[in-house]
Amino acid sequence: MNSVSPAAAQYRSGSPEDARRPEGRRPRGPRTPDPNGLGPSGASGPALASAGTGPGEPDEVDKFKAKFLTAWNNVKYGWAVKSRTSFSKISNVHLCGRRYRFEGEGDIQRFQRDFVSRLWLTYRRDFPPLAGGSLTSDCGWGCMLRSGQMMLAQGLLLHFLPRDWTWSQGAGLGPPEPSGLASPNRYRGPARWIPPRWAQAPELEQERRHRQIVSWFADHPRAPFGLHRLVELGQGSGKKAGDWYGPSLVAHILRKAVESCSEVTRLVVYVSQDCTVYKADVARLVARPDPTAEWKSVVILVPVRLGGETLNPVYVPCVKELLRSELCLGIMGGKPRHSLYFIGYQGRPTPHCSTSPYTPFPPPPPPSHVLPADDFLLYLDPHYCQPTVDVSQADFPLESFHCTSPRKMAFAKMDPSCTVGFYAGDRKEFETLCSELTRVLSSSSATERYPMFTLVDGHAQDHSLDDLCSPPSQQTLRLPRSGRLLKAKRPSSEDFVFL
């Protein structure tokens, strides 16, 4: 057998002990007003509120429904059964631009530390009601927002911490436990972390920054990248809590969230227009307001559509090539109506994949239209509902923000609508990224007429968008190697030209 799942490589998924644990019985008197005045604004009480509940506080029926929905989703998405993921011995594993090959125990442990160090942001429950309603959980509808949070979190890790940073406590991390429950209206901002006595100065600073980044994604209205803030920004696009969000819309919501965050001043987000990245527009954004000053770091988000109803396999080599780059933040996508955050893959080099300067590969095998059997995407799954963590507590638990169970999915199941993310820390890295993208997007003869997206000089207003992104004058457009004709349609914010 060519698979391996030793003790060091098996990752047990978190068990839904919180779903089976009975709710604590405590008296339900009138709620004491929040002394800090941090209750959510604009939240209205539920229709079935009891006499002992305050405005915006869910009653017992709503709490029972939330717990039932939590348990059902954890069963539905496979979190109720402990599972292990097996990896092939003969294929490389690529995770966030790093290559691993499970030839020994040390390789497995390095991969485990790297994977556990990624921030895992999932469904939560029992947080303050979202604006415009009484929802206290995003279970069942907020998965794309959570995937977007994870992509932004990866960009912040690269922005504030060294590229080789790993969480020091991640090696011995077990399944997430429902600890550190939050009191919905007692968020006081991130707490001051008390370091252990044995920690060194660089480790102390990195751990403080790690906790600060986690606190920015807290489920409270004051968190700059929390669910409440993202839902608030989505209202400008006609979305509300409980709606499903697409990857293109979430990209623009993340851009607005970073723009309005006073705690992150040297980072900007650029969202491509009509599958095109305009380098001059990016340069103007990172140099604003003083073009002579040092460039800001930039997160580049590119919403794309890689096929019609299903993923066109001609794009798989390019997807792999991008995921092998250290400058790629991953892919915000998933399966139809089921968002996931792709951060790597396992598989052999596919035809038309050229060598990457970050993770060198042997020459590609002979051309084949069939993907190898061990080709899988690696992802973080937000479909696990956990209790809200109060990050204002001193030394709040971090275990529920890090996943111990990598999961994999066949490329063929990937939804064609997704958003690819990149990070460039300075001008030199941006030039390296442009050079790398130019090579990747033009290296495949099969997709040179239908690239994933394009990278061009100049500004958006200097180019005719109709010439660049509209379908040909014919009324039909044939997808390469698909055998089906699709009616041409003009792109919108959520629908793109069928590539």
Side-chain angles (χ1 to χ4, degrees):
M1 297 295 291
N2 289 324
S3 64
V4 56
S5 57
Q10 73 181 33
Y11 299 86
R12 295 180 177 179
S13 60
S15 59
E17 298 175 6
D18 50 313
R20 298 192 299 268
R21 182 173 295 142
E23 181 183 3
R25 296 182 176 87
R26 59 181 183 271
R28 295 188 52 81
R31 168 166 298 204
T32 304
D34 181 12
N36 296 324
L38 297 178
S41 59
S44 59
L48 299 176
S50 60
T53 60
E57 182 181 356
D59 62 3
E60 295 298 333
V61 175
D62 291 333
K63 286 188 175 183
F64 175 78
K65 290 180 179 179
K67 286 185 175 294
F68 179 80
L69 184 61
T70 294
W72 164 245
N73 275 273
N74 288 343
V75 172
K76 179 181 179 181
Y77 297 112
W79 291 108
V81 179
K82 292 184 178 181
S83 61
R84 60 184 64 181
T85 301
S86 297
F87 294 94
S88 171
K89 289 182 178 180
I90 62 177
S91 298
N92 294 319
V93 176
H94 297 269
L95 177 68
C96 298
R98 295 184 176 273
R99 182 180 59 172
Y100 299 93
R101 190 176 180 89
F102 297 147
E103 296 178 340
E105 200 73 12
D107 298 327
I108 296 172
Q109 292 176 358
R110 283 191 293 271
F111 171 79
Q112 181 182 10
R113 285 197 300 268
D114 194 0
F115 178 83
V116 172
S117 299
R118 302 312 107 205
L119 289 190
W120 183 41
L121 301 168
T122 70
Y123 289 154
R124 297 281 176 172
R125 69 169 189 267
D126 302 328
F127 50 65
L130 294 165
S134 59
L135 289 175
T136 59
S137 173
D138 62 322
C139 191
W141 59 269
C143 56
M144 186 63 74
L145 291 174
R146 297 299 187 180
S147 296
Q149 284 181 320
M150 286 189 276
M151 177 176 284
L152 178 59
Q154 176 64 15
L156 293 173
L157 290 178
L158 294 179
H159 184 64
F160 289 106
L161 296 172
R163 288 191 180 273
D164 59 351
W165 173 83
T166 57
W167 185 32
S168 59
Q169 303 176 33
L173 185 64
E177 297 290 340
S179 57
L181 302 184
S183 176
N185 288 327
R186 291 187 59 80
Y187 178 87
R188 296 180 295 276
R192 182 178 181 181
W193 175 61
I194 303 176
R197 296 181 179 179
W198 49 264
Q200 301 297 321
E203 295 176 348
L204 294 179
E205 179 58 31
Q206 291 177 9
E207 184 59 23
R208 288 193 187 96
R209 183 64 75 175
H210 172 212
R211 287 179 171 273
Q212 182 183 39
I213 293 174
V214 171
S215 70
W216 288 339
F217 294 92
D219 294 302
H220 194 276
R222 289 185 56 181
F225 308 128
L227 184 73
H228 295 73
R229 178 58 176 159
L230 301 187
V231 169
E232 178 186 355
L233 293 173
Q235 292 177 348
S237 300
K239 294 289 185 178
K240 62 181 183 300
D243 291 344
W244 194 86
Y245 295 71
S248 176
L249 176 60
V250 172
H252 287 278
I253 290 176
L254 296 178
R255 174 183 58 81
K256 296 176 182 177
V258 174
E259 284 180 355
S260 61
C261 179
S262 60
E263 299 178 77
V264 182
T265 58
R266 299 295 304 172
L267 178 70
V268 294
V269 175
Y270 172 86
V271 182
S272 69
Q273 302 181 40
D274 300 293
C275 309
T276 305
V277 176
Y278 295 95
K279 293 191 285 186
D281 285 343
V282 177
R284 181 172 58 186
L285 181 64
V286 297
R288 190 180 297 172
D290 184 5
T292 62
E294 181 181 0
W295 275 29
K296 299 177 182 178
S297 302
V298 59
V299 169
I300 299 176
L301 302 179
V302 187
V304 296
R305 188 170 185 90
L306 308 179
E309 297 179 359
T310 59
L311 176 71
N312 195 316
V314 300
Y315 294 110
V316 172
C318 193
V319 171
K320 289 183 176 182
E321 188 85 5
L322 295 178
L323 289 174
R324 290 207 299 268
S325 171
E326 288 186 344
L327 300 178
C328 182
L329 297 178
I331 299 176
M332 174 175 46
K335 296 181 285 189
R337 309 293 294 183
H338 180 100
S339 179
L340 303 168
Y341 174 44
F342 300 115
I343 55 176
Y345 76 97
Q346 178 174 37
R348 308 175 193 178
T350 51
H352 309 298
C353 279
S354 55
T355 303
S356 169
Y358 301 105
T359 51
F361 270 96
S368 172
H369 301 298
V370 180
L371 293 175
D374 54 357
D375 267 16
F376 295 97
L377 286 159
L378 301 181
Y379 63 86
L380 286 169
D381 190 352
H383 298 87
Y384 177 48
C385 193
Q386 305 184 85
T388 299
V389 175
D390 186 357
V391 300
S392 65
Q393 297 179 358
D395 201 18
F396 66 90
L398 290 167
E399 288 77 13
S400 66
F401 296 99
H402 294 274
C403 184
T404 61
S405 54
R407 296 192 170 190
K408 60 184 184 181
M409 183 190 81
F411 277 90
K413 295 182 179 180
M414 179 180 175
D415 191 286
S417 180
C418 57
T419 292
V420 189
F422 305 94
Y423 171 82
D426 50 30
R427 181 195 292 264
K428 183 178 180 180
E429 280 196 352
F430 176 68
E431 294 172 352
T432 301
L433 175 62
C434 291
S435 176
E436 178 72 4
L437 291 178
T438 300
R439 179 189 60 78
V440 171
L441 296 173
S442 61
S443 63
S444 173
S445 60
T447 57
E448 60 186 5
R449 292 181 303 159
Y450 304 93
M452 284 183 60
F453 57 94
T454 56
L455 184 71
V456 300
D457 297 320
H459 301 277
Q461 64 267 24
D462 299 335
H463 298 265
S464 171
L465 297 183
D466 291 334
D467 295 338
L468 286 174
C469 297
S470 293
S473 58
Q474 297 93 319
Q475 292 302 310
T476 58
L477 178 64
R478 183 179 295 275
L479 288 173
R481 302 177 183 170
S482 66
R484 291 189 302 168
L485 296 178
L486 296 177
K487 293 183 179 180
K489 55 185 294 186
R490 296 189 63 84
S492 65
S493 61
E494 292 293 329
D495 296 313
F496 301 91
V497 179
F498 287 131
L499 301 176

